[in-house]
Amino acid sequence: SAVPIFAANNHLVATLDVSNDLNAPQQHTLALVKMAAQMVENRLFHATADGEIGVHFHVRPEFIGTLWEGVALFDAQGQLQAINRSGQFQFGLPLDQDVLSARRIPFEDIFDESWLAFKQRGLSSEVLFPLRLRNGARLFARASSMQVTGISSKPVQSVPRESAASLELLDSGDPQLKLAISQVKQVLNRDIPVLILGETGAGKELFSRAIHDASVRRAQPFIAVNCAALPEGLIEAELFGYEEGAYTGAKRKGNVGKIQQADGGTLFLDEIGDMPLSLQARLLRVLQERSVTPLGSSKSIPVNFTLVSATNQKLKDKVAAGEFRSDLYYRINGLTVQLPALRQRQDMSRLIQMILQIEQAPQVTLSDEVLAVFAVHPWPGNVRQLHNVLRTAVALADGGVIERQHLTHDFLDEMAVEAERATVLQPVLTLKAQSDEAIRVAMQQQAGNVSAVARQLGMSRNTLYRRLKALHLN
């Protein structure tokens, strides 16, 4: 299993090779070698490239801060000094060090934003924000000041003045979410583990980050691990780390695991219900003893972190089925909070406005028909789906009013399937009839409180008053 290693100037400098007996193949060796080679390349890049301000970016926000993020380094005047290979790939151009030195590419030639505006919003916090390339492609980004030493350039982490994931900003008017936020605030900084329950896309990682940012550990690491995304053969090494020579493919000098990286900060274990049983016992021992032992080592390393876990599964059912350890369940379940599904929330209007702000499209509005569609849609992907739908619709509406034709066929098909399932033998209601029925039900649920109904359905009060008048409900 061999992977090439390139320097910051894109010149081939080495090949990382792991060889083993043909009769004893290691299933995950190549994946580990790729990760190790990427670590070496990243280290080489930061050790040899100069720059005062770094832009960390990726088309998928969850990849920022990982091995696969793009990193572009700029000088104080906004001239591109260096860019790693992942960044070059995302830009779609090969830029070696010689080309950069000759061209002196300014920030504005790459991104659709001024250098001054970027610094003002980027360096004030660690929050991710959308950033567009000049060709219109959309990325997520984070900025950092670069502290240049004799051997490396390292991001200087700043304490955010106000995080976009703050508990206050997440409190957008939904009673169930408000309760969850209130409960979390009561146990902050008391060493009580939090278990977040919620459907996929309901915002569990964002909520966990808000817990971290609201705590006294906010200046320390927030380490997230998706237990469902890592192969079983890799999750143990990823969590606990390993010593040199722990197994075939282990890199020299070993690797610090996620648990140790979270020391002093917060460890977020997403989809913990998918953690293999064999690792559950090791995790329980870490939580009991407050120490971690890397693979291949006999030395225990003390760790101190806040634990936040999340799952979309019913862990009690998994405990009953013998698929999740009961002792670990009670260890992680200090406080359980339930995040509501989007179809259950009463703050649709506020959520829409927040997402439009994130998409830098606050001037965009939604037609009454689209609001009616949103009110009756099942939203299986929850807030993540709402964000994706609005992002696409904003682009298609080109800054104007989002109409039905700006919604994707897949999204509209989901609503039709749900209506079919709900009505069985009855004819499918028209969109207007569904919308009227949603208003009647909401008026009953909210005891005639027009403001509460408007929030629940994502309508303006003027629109709702007009609809109520037509239905003779006012």
Side-chain angles (χ1 to χ4, degrees), residues 4-56:
I5 296 175
F6 295 89
N9 58 7
N10 276 354
H11 294 168
L12 178 66
V13 292
T15 300
L16 181 60
D17 168 78
V18 172
S19 300
N20 57 282
D21 191 322
L22 181 64
N23 297 315
Q26 299 291 325
Q27 183 179 1
H28 303 298
T29 300
L30 183 58
L32 288 168
V33 174
K34 287 181 177 178
M35 290 175 63
Q38 189 65 50
M39 290 177 185
V40 174
E41 280 196 11
N42 288 354
R43 177 63 176 168
L44 281 173
F45 177 78
H46 286 296
T48 58
D50 293 325
E52 296 190 28
I53 295 177
V55 183
H56 307 254

Side-chain angles (χ1 to χ4, degrees), residues 233-355:
L234 290 181
I235 188 172
E236 186 172 19
E238 187 78 5
L239 269 179
F240 301 99
Y242 52 83
E243 290 289 300
E244 179 178 359
Y247 56 87
T248 301
K251 67 176 183 176
R252 241 183 117 188
K253 298 187 179 177
N255 186 58
V256 176
K258 297 293 188 183
I259 292 176
Q260 192 177 342
Q261 291 176 34
D263 186 33
T266 300
L267 177 66
F268 173 54
L269 298 179
D270 197 9
E271 305 301 350
I272 193 170
D274 291 302
M275 178 176 285
L277 265 173
S278 59
L279 295 191
Q280 292 177 24
R282 289 202 65 186
L283 176 62
L284 178 65
R285 190 156 55 248
V286 169
L287 299 179
Q288 290 173 334
E289 300 174 1
R290 292 290 180 172
S291 63
V292 61
T293 305
L295 299 180
S297 173
S298 58
K299 179 183 177 182
S300 295
I301 302 168
V303 287
N304 176 19
F305 54 81
T306 292
L307 178 67
V308 181
S309 308
T311 183
N312 62 359
Q313 304 183 47
K314 294 181 179 179
L315 287 187
K316 282 188 176 180
D317 291 349
K318 297 203 72 169
V319 169
E323 298 171 353
F324 199 87
R325 294 180 62 105
S326 60
D327 44 9
L328 178 59
Y329 172 72
Y330 291 112
R331 175 67 67 170
I332 66 175
N333 186 15
L335 169 69
T336 299
V337 293
Q338 177 79 47
L339 298 189
L342 180 58
R343 60 187 172 276
Q344 301 167 336
R345 291 178 63 160
Q346 301 178 23
D347 57 350
M348 175 74 82
S349 179
R350 174 66 179 144
L351 273 175
I352 290 171
Q353 290 306 313
M354 288 173 62
I355 292 170

Side-chain angles (χ1 to χ4, degrees), residues 150-225:
I151 59 169
S152 67
S153 304
K154 298 175 65 178
V156 179
Q157 301 293 336
S158 60
V159 180
R161 294 181 300 183
E162 182 181 23
S163 171
S166 71
L167 291 170
E168 286 72 21
L169 286 178
L170 291 182
D171 188 0
S172 51
D174 179 77
Q176 192 172 347
L177 189 59
K178 190 179 188 70
L179 174 63
I181 291 170
S182 173
Q183 291 174 331
V184 162
K185 285 182 175 179
Q186 290 179 285
V187 302
L188 274 178
N189 306 319
R190 296 193 179 185
D191 197 26
I192 296 175
V194 177
L195 176 62
I196 304 171
L197 306 179
E199 295 181 5
T200 299
K204 298 187 290 294
E205 181 164 357
L206 187 64
F207 195 82
S208 68
R209 181 68 200 231
I211 294 173
H212 172 76
D213 288 346
S215 74
V216 295
R217 299 177 184 264
R218 67 180 67 90
Q220 301 304 316
F222 173 84
I223 304 297
V225 180

Side-chain angles (χ1 to χ4, degrees), residues 409-473:
H409 292 300
D410 286 346
F411 174 73
L412 294 172
D413 286 347
E414 283 178 346
M415 187 173 63
V417 169
E418 185 66 20
E420 230 176 81
R421 186 184 302 119
T423 54
V424 188
L425 298 177
Q426 302 198 6
V428 177
L429 295 173
T430 66
L431 179 60
K432 174 80 165 49
Q434 292 182 52
S435 177
D436 291 346
E437 182 62 21
I439 291 174
R440 291 191 183 96
V441 171
M443 286 291 285
Q444 291 177 350
Q445 291 175 340
Q446 302 299 337
N449 186 323
V450 174
S451 296
V453 172
R455 285 195 301 271
Q456 179 175 339
L457 299 180
M459 293 182 180
S460 69
R461 284 193 296 176
N462 289 339
T463 299
L464 182 57
Y465 277 124
R466 187 169 68 249
R467 299 291 298 279
L468 290 173
K469 185 176 180 179
L471 292 169
H472 305 292
L473 294 177

